[in-house]
Amino acid sequence: MNDDRDLIFSNIRKALEPLPERAPYPEWDAEMPICREHPEFAERWDLYAYKLQQVNGTPLRGLKALGEWLVAAGQTFGYCDPKLVDEVRAEPAFAGITLETEFDRARVDEYLFGITLASGAIAETGTVILKDKETSARLGALAPWTHVAILRPERLLASTAEAIASLGDDPSVIWATGPSKTADVEGILIEGVHGPGTQICCLV
Amino acid sequence: MTPTKTQQSIDKFARDIDAEVHDSVWGGAKKTSEARYAALERDFPETADKLRETAGKIKQHTLENLDKYLAQAEASLQANGAQVHFARDGDRANEIILDIMKQAGATRMVKAKSMVSEETELAHFLEKNGMSCVETDLGEFIVQIDHDHPSHIVKPIIHKNRRQIAKSFEREGLGEYDDDPETICRRARKFLRDKFLHADVGLTGANFVSAESGRLTIVTNEGNARFCMAANRVHIAIVGIEKLVPTDRDLGLLLNLIGRSGTGQQLTVYSQFIKGPRTEGQPHGPEEMHVVFVDNKRTEVLATNCRDILRCIRCGACLNVCPVYRQASGHAYRSVYPGPVGAVLSPLLAGSRFPELADLPKASSLCGACNEVCPVNIPIPDLLLRLRDKAKREGAKKASAGTPGMGMYALLASQPTAWRGAMSMGKAMNMTPPAVMNIVPAAAAWQSARQLPPWRGGKFRSWMKTRKHAHDA
């Protein structure tokens, strides 16, 4: 075991030793990887909503819109982060919807949706950011067919570069850009492979 | 086409390939290449090449300082509460993983996609040792139930169509024959969901590792890597030592590149940044995290003049754009890594078995498309030439199949009189029927798909002579 470590390091040094010089780290501007600008969107949220729709995600504004969307989709039973549940239940549009605040693994396929907090979002890519410390249950955000990320407006970031800078010390940060998908079968797009088939980001 | 002795192995694959497989591979590769161009045009119009070049320099810098960055990554991961292991080769990596499972009292593994685990044949090894190991990427799952091999780095079943998949599902008891792609996916979701929920261990690879923070970056579209870190107690990541980048900031650049290069997406659906076991208070996810850094001949490659190939981020863009890959499919490369990257990497990783794969660097017209699309700007055509040279020097027989001997040419080209004689004799070829010329095997191989143009040799020399006289006059 330790032999392997020593062997690998010694082989690396031996391999690099004959090099007359080592390639330097290139200088590069943090702005460089930022994608094409979209001046047609006045507000950051509008760009975000456009980008999320491009990857077949669903942007919604306000809990009323969310409640109506879930009722219309017939999704009236789901999981909700205990820290968000009072705020969600207070919205009259959720009157016919049952929320559970404990995710029961034995009934994993009964939850039609899961509502958790978005630690952030990225406007230029339509991405939702989920940090482990702010996600009440990993399975609640992953297993149900519909995942709803509740986004506070001040947490909407402009670019992936900003999002990288804000990774912090969380052990597990997930960027989710649209619903789970595959094109393994003949290149045909199918959504909802293992993760959510519907990805909603709701601005509250 | 009639078979000839002198054809290269890859030509034989291309000749004998099933028509359905050919159409699947050709169409799939072309479609993905086009998606890549569309993503470029849409999202990265001005900076596209600058991004590739910068990413290439970052990876090259990392490789040439690998001792420093590998030690830094190890320290960072340990500080985050992860356990770090080192494996000199594939066998050692497999043993380490088996040992981790035994110590954790684990018997069931769910596994996300990892090319290095294909190198070590991890799944076979674990099953031989009494563990269950289920591939959870849809394509890899189908490869596993078919006892097949992936034929593409990103799209492992690019060579299969829906009818073949539906038959496999029927055979495995996943339902009656139904070749609707949506039905196929739903059945896989249901079957694998149960595996995820009952697994002890989730195994993933890593696309990038930041030395600064120890963060493993793992990208998937299906969400299976997320599920390999949700319901199970232990997470193991198997990672080639070349996957490092110096800082988190570099991750942002490379993530922008890998999505569009691999599948034409601005970002892959899930990008995960994992640097340790689950956080306190989180009810789900692994309490234990292990990272196994694998050499498996990478340090040997680092010592060669082809070390640039270790920049590769396994996006598959060079496969999709390659005219040879499109015709021959991935299995023609007879190794874990197909396509242009495989033509360089596979013979190098083969070690003493280099001669068996020495023909792969020749399976290229050196058109350069692979270099043009490469997100880390690897000069693949240059590396192919270096490997052709190596094969020639080492006298690898496979490298000379289909190539006429150049000894005669060298003799003629260095003797003006002999050259003039050969030029005038060349005219005799115009009067020789092609069938007679086919006595020479190389000529037969060449003529089997092409027509020899009429000989016009010597024209330049006579033109030059006339021109010189005109000048003097």
Side-chain angles (χ1 to χ4, degrees):
Chain A
M1 207 5 263
N2 267 331
D3 295 354
D4 283 40
R5 186 189 184 282
D6 295 345
L7 183 74
I8 291 172
F9 275 92
S10 114
N11 283 344
I12 293 173
R13 285 188 203 108
K14 254 187 268 168
L16 296 175
E17 206 237 342
L19 291 183
E21 52 190 306
R22 310 279 172 100
Y25 184 86
E27 274 188 33
W28 58 281
D29 184 355
E31 303 286 301
M32 191 175 63
I34 293 176
C35 301
R36 186 195 280 264
E37 280 183 41
H38 286 275
E40 68 271 33
F41 298 106
E43 279 188 52
R44 194 179 278 183
W45 168 261
D46 296 333
L47 170 62
Y48 177 77
Y50 165 76
K51 284 288 185 174
L52 182 55
Q53 280 168 327
Q54 279 209 321
V55 290
N56 293 345
T58 310
L60 294 174
R61 260 190 128 134
L63 288 173
K64 181 166 182 283
L66 176 61
E68 287 167 359
W69 190 97
L70 289 171
V71 170
Q75 299 187 10
T76 54
F77 175 74
Y79 167 81
C80 181
D81 179 341
K83 288 206 188 88
L84 294 168
V85 76
D86 290 342
E87 189 183 350
V88 174
R89 279 188 180 137
E91 164 55 48
F94 273 79
I97 298 174
T98 310
L99 300 171
E100 281 197 8
T101 56
E102 190 129 345
F103 192 89
D104 180 2
R105 280 172 58 148
R107 295 186 294 136
V108 64
D109 291 325
E110 291 174 29
Y111 302 100
L112 299 173
F113 62 84
I115 302 176
T116 66
L117 187 71
S119 304
I122 311 172
E124 68 165 354
T125 53
T127 302
V128 166
I129 302 172
L130 307 173
K131 291 189 177 177
D132 215 33
K133 288 179 184 163
E134 294 174 320
T135 303
S136 51
R138 284 192 193 184
L139 283 171
L142 177 61
W145 183 260
T146 298
H147 176 238
V148 181
I150 302 291
L151 178 69
R152 309 296 182 191
E154 69 277 9
R155 292 198 170 193
L156 179 55
L157 306 172
S159 64
T160 52
E162 275 184 34
I164 288 281
S166 71
L167 284 171
D169 68 346
D170 201 280
S172 165
V173 181
I174 296 166
W175 292 1
T177 308
S180 150
K181 68 177 190 186
T182 186
D184 272 350
V185 183
E186 292 188 9
I188 297 160
L189 177 72
I190 304 291
E191 290 173 337
V193 190
H194 297 300
T198 302
Q199 177 67 57
I200 295 175
C201 181
C202 182
L203 185 72
V204 178
Chain B
M1 202 196 275
T2 44
T4 71
K5 268 194 298 197
T6 57
Q7 269 180 341
Q8 291 181 30
S9 308
I10 207 157
D11 294 328
K12 291 178 197 158
F13 265 94
R15 183 195 67 211
D16 298 337
I17 197 170
D18 179 87
E20 280 194 10
V21 173
H22 175 269
D23 291 351
S24 299
V25 173
W26 192 84
K30 183 165 175 284
K31 197 170 159 182
T32 316
S33 265
E34 283 163 2
R36 180 189 163 275
Y37 288 119
L40 268 185
E41 176 58 29
R42 200 180 57 228
D43 299 321
F44 299 94
E46 294 87 19
T47 51
D49 271 338
K50 193 98 195 334
L51 286 172
R52 293 189 319 116
E53 287 158 16
T54 307
K57 286 178 187 161
I58 293 173
K59 286 294 286 183
Q60 190 71 21
H61 163 79
T62 317
L63 291 170
E64 296 188 11
N65 295 275
L66 192 58
D67 45 351
K68 176 180 133 193
Y69 289 121
L70 189 57
Q72 196 188 352
E74 178 192 22
S76 306
L77 280 161
Q78 284 167 341
N80 302 339
Q83 298 178 51
V84 181
H85 312 260
F86 290 90
R88 68 179 71 183
D89 57 22
D91 290 346
R92 202 60 83 90
N94 289 348
E95 281 160 23
I96 291 170
I97 291 165
L98 178 65
D99 200 47
I100 296 169
M101 289 185 76
K102 281 181 178 164
Q103 293 216 353
T107 55
R108 289 164 303 218
M109 173 185 282
V110 279
K111 182 178 168 301
K113 213 167 150 17
S114 145
M115 292 310 293
V116 66
S117 76
E118 297 288 334
E119 287 176 41
T120 74
E121 299 184 36
L122 176 68
H124 287 289
F125 173 83
L126 291 177
E127 290 190 335
K128 259 198 305 200
N129 284 279
M131 302 289 175
S132 97
C133 174
V134 183
E135 296 281 356
T136 60
D137 173 89
L138 178 64
E140 294 284 349
F141 172 68
I142 291 162
V143 165
Q144 188 179 35
I145 60 176
D146 281 354
H147 306 287
D148 196 355
H149 291 284
S151 69
H152 189 289
I153 297 173
V154 175
K155 296 165 171 287
I157 52 163
I158 194 170
H159 61 293
K160 291 182 196 281
N161 61 37
R162 63 174 92 181
R163 295 178 296 283
Q164 296 162 322
I165 299 165
K167 277 182 209 151
S168 302
F169 272 39
E170 189 183 27
R171 183 192 69 225
E172 297 295 315
L174 291 169
E176 277 174 37
Y177 180 92
D178 187 338
D179 63 16
D180 171 38
E182 186 153 352
T183 306
I184 290 170
C185 287
R186 295 293 164 265
R187 285 174 175 174
R189 178 182 172 102
K190 188 164 180 291
F191 180 83
L192 291 169
R193 176 66 59 103
D194 185 61
K195 300 289 178 196
F196 284 125
L197 292 169
H198 294 99
D200 314 298
V201 176
L203 182 126
T204 68
N207 299 83
F208 314 106
V209 181
S210 155
E212 172 188 49
S213 62
R215 271 198 174 89
L216 270 54
T217 305
I218 301 159
V219 304
T220 72
N221 276 319
E222 299 179 6
N224 56 318
R226 276 182 78 185
F227 242 121
C228 287
M229 282 174 258
N232 42 294
R233 303 181 270 129
V234 180
H235 172 214
I236 306 173
I238 179 169
V239 186
I241 54 170
E242 83 285 17
K243 291 287 163 194
L244 295 174
V245 293
T247 65
D248 284 8
R249 185 169 170 261
D250 304 316
L251 298 175
L253 177 66
L254 285 156
L255 279 172
N256 270 315
L257 284 161
I258 197 169
R260 72 160 142 100
S261 303
T263 49
Q265 293 167 275
Q266 197 175 352
L267 277 182
T268 36
V269 175
Y270 301 113
S271 307
Q272 295 174 253
F273 304 86
I274 309 294
K275 65 174 200 152
R278 77 184 187 205
T279 195
E280 213 177 305
Q282 171 58 251
H284 307 138
E287 299 146 26
E288 214 180 286
M289 178 182 176
H290 297 264
V291 178
V292 184
F293 284 113
V294 184
D295 180 344
N296 207 25
K297 303 210 163 63
R298 283 159 176 74
T299 51
E300 281 180 31
V301 181
L302 192 63
T304 68
N305 61 358
C306 293
R307 69 178 65 82
D308 300 18
I309 199 67
L310 295 174
R311 291 183 209 165
C312 174
I313 61 171
R314 313 282 191 261
C315 71
C318 63
L319 279 63
N320 297 329
V321 80
C322 177
V324 177
Y325 176 86
R326 286 184 183 184
Q327 295 299 338
S329 173
H331 291 158
Y333 295 80
R334 313 174 326 268
S335 48
V336 172
Y337 300 100
V341 60
V344 179
L345 194 55
S346 294
L348 288 169
L349 292 181
S352 60
R353 287 177 42 244
F354 174 81
E356 289 170 37
L357 297 174
D359 59 310
L360 294 183
K362 297 198 66 197
S364 165
S365 62
L366 303 177
C367 74
C370 46
N371 175 223
E372 232 168 69
V373 300
C374 177
V376 283
N377 202 24
I378 302 174
I380 294 179
D382 294 351
L383 303 185
L384 290 170
L385 287 174
R386 286 176 203 168
L387 286 178
R388 288 182 188 183
D389 178 56
K390 174 178 156 74
K392 189 84 184 165
R393 281 173 200 281
E394 294 179 11
K397 273 206 194 95
K398 279 214 160 227
S400 52
T403 310
M406 299 301 274
M408 183 61 94
Y409 177 80
L411 185 76
L412 294 177
S414 55
Q415 316 260 354
T417 327
W419 183 261
R420 271 198 297 276
M423 283 296 140
S424 48
M425 272 172 68
K427 289 185 190 113
M429 277 169 64
N430 287 343
M431 282 165 269
T432 314
V436 174
M437 271 193 276
N438 280 354
I439 300 167
V440 183
W446 203 90
Q447 291 201 106
S448 63
R450 287 158 287 207
Q451 280 199 328
L452 201 62
W455 174 265
R456 285 196 293 244
K459 290 265 164 67
F460 176 76
R461 295 170 69 88
S462 58
W463 172 81
M464 194 61 186
K465 219 181 235 169
T466 331
R467 195 173 166 277
K468 203 171 168 229
H469 288 316
H471 250 280
D472 293 346

